[in-house]
Amino acid sequence: MTTRSLYTKQQSNDIVATIFDAFDNGLITLHMKQALINLFQIIKSGNNSPTQRHVANKARISLRTVSEAIRVAKALGLVLVVPQYEIVKGRPRRLANRYIFNALKELPEGISYKRKGRAPYTKPYIKEYETPVDNSGIVTPAMRDRVLGKLLAAMREDGMRV
């Protein structure tokens, strides 16, 4: 049984082109580009929530590079990261994040920083994704489903198959 991708062929091409544009403009490094392309290929094949370790092993790069690539892509607006939890015996248990890619028409400009002891590359100011939490700081399944419902509705409006 084959799984259908959430992305049409045109959307897939646009997302890959956006990743290459980010690399060409110096927003991400070569290894970050490899990480994002491998992450997108895994998601396209039907696994919407792969672990970062799985992506790192598939791309043959470090886990730290994968997490940095995802943070930068999040800040650029290229990837939406949705944390997932399940309640086990009354306590939240962390699951792998769900990733939703978005093709950008224009990349942000004027964002750069220099890494210590390394060649400079552009890195955006990283904004943390705000998840809906209750007073205890735990994302409940109902809250997560509400956020995913809004995301899926927005994806449908953009013409994605969901």
Side-chain angles (χ1 to χ4, degrees):
M1 181 172 133
T2 60
T3 57
R4 289 178 54 189
S5 176
L6 292 174
Y7 305 97
T8 63
K9 187 167 182 106
Q10 181 62 42
Q11 290 165 337
S12 296
N13 292 340
D14 291 344
I15 289 168
V16 171
T18 302
I19 293 171
F20 275 89
D21 287 345
F23 173 69
D24 292 340
N25 291 337
L27 296 172
I28 57 175
T29 63
L30 176 65
H31 294 291
M32 288 178 173
K33 178 182 85 166
Q34 287 176 322
L36 292 173
I37 287 177
N38 276 297
L39 176 62
F40 183 63
Q41 287 174 347
I42 292 169
I43 289 171
K44 237 175 73 169
S45 68
N47 183 1
N48 288 333
S49 52
T51 62
Q52 291 182 4
R53 185 173 308 279
H54 177 67
V55 176
N57 289 338
K58 188 166 173 87
R60 295 181 178 231
I61 54 178
S62 73
L63 183 60
R64 192 175 203 172
T65 302
V66 172
S67 58
E68 178 75 8
I70 291 171
R71 282 198 346 246
V72 170
K74 236 170 64 170
L76 288 172
L78 179 61
V79 175
L80 179 63
V81 179
V82 182
Q84 297 187 93
Y85 296 87
E86 69 178 356
I87 306 296
V88 177
K89 296 182 182 176
R91 293 183 177 213
R93 180 175 156 225
R94 187 83 164 85
L95 301 173
N97 291 329
R98 175 169 284 206
Y99 301 100
I100 300 172
F101 275 83
N102 181 30
L104 302 176
K105 293 183 178 158
E106 289 185 20
L107 293 169
E109 295 178 12
I111 305 168
S112 66
Y113 100 116
K114 184 175 180 180
R115 296 186 295 171
K116 293 179 182 175
R118 307 240 174 152
Y121 79 99
T122 308
K123 175 182 174 185
Y125 174 75
I126 296 172
K127 299 176 186 174
E128 291 299 320
Y129 174 67
E130 296 178 11
T131 58
V133 294
D134 59 9
N135 292 336
S136 66
I138 298 171
V139 177
T140 63
M143 292 177 180
R144 182 191 69 217
D145 293 342
R146 211 172 332 130
V147 170
L148 284 176
K150 290 179 184 177
L151 292 173
L152 293 174
M155 289 169 65
R156 284 188 191 107
E157 287 177 9
D158 291 340
M160 295 177 125
R161 281 186 283 163
V162 181

